[in-house]
Amino acid sequence: MVTARGENMRINSDRLWDSLMDMARIGPGIAGGNNRQTLTDSDNEGRHLFKQWCDEAGMTMAVDKMGTMFATRPGTDPDALPIYVGSHLDTQPTGGKYDGVLGVLAGLEVVRSMNDLDIKTKHPIVVTNWTNEEGARFAPAMLASGVFAGVHTMDYAYDRKDPEGKSFGDELKRIGWVGEEEVGARKMHAYFEYHIEQGPILEAENKQIGVVTHGQGLWWLEFTLAGREAHTGSTPMNLRVNAGLAMARIMEMVQGVAMQNQPGCVGGVGQVFFSPNSRNVLPGKVVFTVDIRSPIQAKLDRMRAEIETNAAEICAALGVGCSVEAVGHFDPVTFDPALVSAVRKAAEDLGYSHMDIISGAGHDACWTARVAPSTMIMCPCVGGLSHNEAEDISKEWAAAGADVLLRAVIETAGIVE
Ligand code: HGY
Ligand code: MN
Ligand code: MN
């Protein structure tokens, strides 16, 4: 039980907000957000700032071979497994200031506040920055936490290429963040991830806290279509082998499959590569990734099957070659009921409005849930907008979720008088 001393326990919201704004200055975007993609020089700069702050808070930093950062605040029982609090500092190319960053810096703020309040806990606390959560530069998303959970091998991860052909392993070495620690060697008592909702529900329902019970499952299906390069002007319509047209029809079909399977699923395309990508050449090759998600396993798998079957028919009708590779996947996840209850109780004790919610986005917690009790806390974001430089939250929303994180973590870590 949190003792009387903990009754009015709150984080320092000014300090949290200042840290968010300081981190946002690293890897600025072009429209007020961030472009601090994984393993870039700006990611490196953000990592060093986070390490400096952790050192100042008296924590000990360890780094594993995927570059994930683990900053430890000791507990009173050296044999007790730590409580982890984390998320990610890498952003999308046109990312916001809060996606991932809020969870890492709120974890730091939890430790800073425990230091201020001179709170000792039985279990150590470990604040975590997972490498390459976004999967924007190197697919798939949640790559380092996936290796940590035993879903991917490190060789697979090191070999992932970015659009310029650079490998994850080479880039991690280049920025100097290949740690000593074997990935997944450390064990967790529990894992908490605080994150903006990245959807419209909490704001629309006027709730301060999302008590996250589940996470959607996901497939990333990378289609490679083979057309025939030809002149866009002199090639008669009946002689075209048009991979671009096939892609357009597949994108329309994906929209239709998602709409036919409502409620509780989404489908779309965010990344397309045309080759040779010349205005007056019909594409010889088109590569694009279909992103489908649902909290319902059967629906997710049915949609995948339907999309792959329909895509093959669309391409056959146009004489376009079609191959597909799953480049990202995780099943729907159920978070740990005891930790979910700790989050709900913390919100109630603090007097914050709250509701149960399913995470629409993927998070590192979706993988840690395979190896340790895990859960998430969410705060609203303006208009539900994320993966957009205009992503925005209020200082009050940020602080409320961090207060809940502080209380839930301490409740789980066990205060020692
Ligand atoms: O794709 C996701 O849901 C996360 O932003 N990586
Ligand atoms: Mn995120
Ligand atoms: Mn994201």
Side-chain angles (χ1 to χ4, degrees), residues 99 133-134 198 387:
D99 172 0
E133 187 282 340
E134 289 294 0
Q198 300 182 291
H387 286 192

Side-chain angles (χ1 to χ4, degrees), residues 68-150:
T68 296
M69 301 169 76
F70 301 99
T72 298
R73 180 184 197 259
T76 58
D77 177 351
D79 299 328
L81 289 180
I83 312 292
Y84 286 71
V85 192
S87 195
H88 60 93
L89 293 174
D90 67 306
T91 76
Q92 288 285 336
T94 55
K97 298 193 282 283
Y98 309 103
D99 172 0
V101 187
L102 178 62
V104 177
L105 300 189
L108 169 63
E109 177 53 36
V110 160
V111 167
R112 285 167 164 172
S113 298
M114 290 170 73
N115 292 343
D116 292 347
L117 295 164
D118 191 22
I119 286 176
K120 293 179 182 52
T121 55
K122 174 176 183 272
H123 294 260
I125 309 292
V126 177
V127 183
T128 306
N129 169 35
W130 296 102
T131 302
N132 190 36
E133 187 282 340
E134 289 294 0
R137 187 180 175 198
F138 301 98
M142 299 108 78
L143 184 61
S145 53
V147 177
F148 184 90

